[in-house]
Amino acid sequence: MTSSSLRPVRIGVQIAPQHSTYTEIRDTLTTLEELGVDVAFNWDHFYPLSGDPEGTHFEGWSMLAAWAEQTTTIEFGPLVTCNTYRNPDLLADMARTVDHISAKNGAAGRLIFGIGSGWFERDYDEYGYEFGTVGQRLDALAEAMPRIESRWSKLTPPPTRKIPVLIGGGGEKKTLRIVAKHADIWHSFADTETLERKLGILRSHCEEIGRDFDEIEISTGASVRAGVGSSDTDALDAQHALGATLFTLGISGPGLDASQVTDLLAWRDAKNAD
C-alpha cells in the first residue's frame, strides 16, 4: 500500500444487519453505491447490538455473498467478523469465494476481510461457542491469522487479489501487535486523543518486527450531524491529520438513515482535492 500521506480519504458505511427487512438493507446498499461510497460494511453477530434484543437480525457472511453479486464497484466486508465463530481455514475459503463472486467486468474482487477476536457474549452462549477470556480470544486470533493466510495460498483458484485484511480493536499489548504483523487496515474504534496514543504504540510494534508502519491504512468511525464546514467536522479533520484515511459511518434500522452520507462524501472530496 502507499504511504499514508499519499493515500486518499475513503468513506465507509456500516449497515447494521438489525431491525430492518433484507429488502431495506439491499436497497440501502444500492443507494450507497450510487452515491459513491467507497466501502460498505456489515457486522458478524447473531443478535441485535442495540434496541430490542429480540429484534430482527440477519447473519453476516451470507449477506456478504449477496452483496458481492449485487454490487459492481463498491468494496465491502464485515466490520468485523469474529475469529472464533468459524474454523480459520473455512473462514479463509468463505472469504476467497465471496472475493470471486464480487469480481466483475475483468476487475479483481472487492472484499475487505475485517476480523477481530470477538466480544459479544450472547453470541457465544446462544450458539454454543466457548467465550473464554479476552486474552484467550486474542491468542486464538493470533493463531488463526497465519492459518488464514496460508489457506489463501493453497486454494484453487486463489483469491483474485491480495485480500486486504482489516483488524479491529485497540488492545495495546496483543491486538496492535497482531495488526502490525498481519493487517493492511487497522480500525481503531477510538476518539482522537486515544487514537494518537495507540498510533504511537502501533508504530512501535511495527518497528519491533520490521514492518513499514505506512503500509497500514488507519480506519476510524465518522459522523457529520450539522453539515460540512461546521464544527462537527473537527474530529474528522483531527483524525485525518493523525493519518486516518478510512472513515466509517454506522447506520441501523429501523429506518436506515443515511442522510449524513452526502456530507461525508463532500468532506472526502474536499480533502482529496487539497
Side-chain angles (χ1 to χ4, degrees):
M1 303 182 92
T2 61
S3 167
S4 60
S5 63
L6 302 176
R7 189 179 286 118
V9 171
R10 301 196 292 165
I11 297 299
V13 177
Q14 183 185 46
I15 307 173
Q18 62 178 15
H19 308 310
S20 300
T21 67
Y22 188 71
T23 297
E24 290 171 325
I25 292 170
R26 181 176 57 223
D27 291 349
T28 299
L29 178 62
T30 294
T31 297
L32 296 179
E33 186 169 42
E34 291 173 347
L35 286 172
V37 168
D38 298 290
V39 187
F41 292 109
N42 63 6
W43 68 40
D44 186 25
H45 294 287
F46 308 129
Y47 296 92
L49 299 186
S50 62
D52 180 2
E54 304 306 323
T56 301
H57 196 279
F58 293 101
E59 193 278 323
W61 274 98
S62 303
M63 184 180 293
L64 291 174
W67 286 12
E69 192 63 69
Q70 176 185 340
T71 59
T72 58
T73 58
I74 196 169
E75 289 190 280
F76 64 94
L79 187 64
V80 291
T81 199
C82 176
N83 168 61
T84 46
Y85 293 166
R86 301 166 191 87
N87 172 285
D89 293 87
L90 170 62
L91 185 56
D93 202 346
M94 291 166 57
R96 181 281 309 251
T97 300
V98 171
D99 167 68
H100 274 266
I101 295 169
S102 69
K104 307 283 180 67
N105 303 318
R110 293 169 284 115
L111 176 71
I112 293 176
F113 183 74
I115 190 167
S117 60
W119 63 273
F120 189 42
E121 190 168 3
R122 185 183 181 189
D123 285 347
Y124 289 82
D125 292 344
E126 296 271 8
Y127 278 56
Y129 301 116
E130 183 178 350
F131 189 55
T133 66
V134 172
Q136 288 170 336
R137 294 194 299 277
L138 285 169
D139 289 344
L141 178 60
E143 293 168 3
M145 287 310 305
R147 287 180 59 181
I148 290 167
E149 293 163 349
S150 175
R151 180 56 55 189
W152 279 337
S153 72
K154 297 173 183 176
L155 291 168
T156 304
T160 66
R161 64 172 180 168
K162 182 190 181 300
I163 297 175
V165 172
L166 178 155
I167 294 177
E172 297 175 4
K173 293 181 179 180
K174 291 187 175 183
T175 303
L176 291 181
R177 187 168 183 82
I178 299 168
V179 170
K181 288 183 176 181
H182 300 285
D184 301 290
I185 306 168
W186 171 52
H187 188 77
S188 65
F189 299 104
D191 59 33
T192 302
E193 182 179 354
T194 304
L195 176 63
E196 184 172 19
R197 186 184 77 251
K198 290 183 184 293
L199 284 172
I201 295 166
L202 177 58
R203 188 182 293 274
S204 295
H205 284 307
C206 287
E207 291 172 354
E208 288 172 8
I209 66 171
R211 173 89 187 273
D212 182 354
F213 171 82
D214 285 334
E215 291 179 353
I216 303 171
E217 183 174 14
I218 307 304
S219 171
T220 189
S223 67
V224 176
R225 293 184 179 84
V228 169
S230 76
S231 60
D232 210 42
T233 64
D234 289 352
L236 303 180
D237 293 333
Q239 294 199 353
H240 180 251
L242 291 175
T245 55
L246 176 55
F247 296 83
T248 296
L249 170 71
I251 62 174
S252 175
L256 288 175
D257 179 11
S259 60
Q260 297 181 48
V261 172
T262 54
D263 282 344
L264 283 169
L265 293 175
W267 178 81
R268 174 199 69 184
D269 294 344
K271 285 294 182 185
N272 289 339
D274 288 346

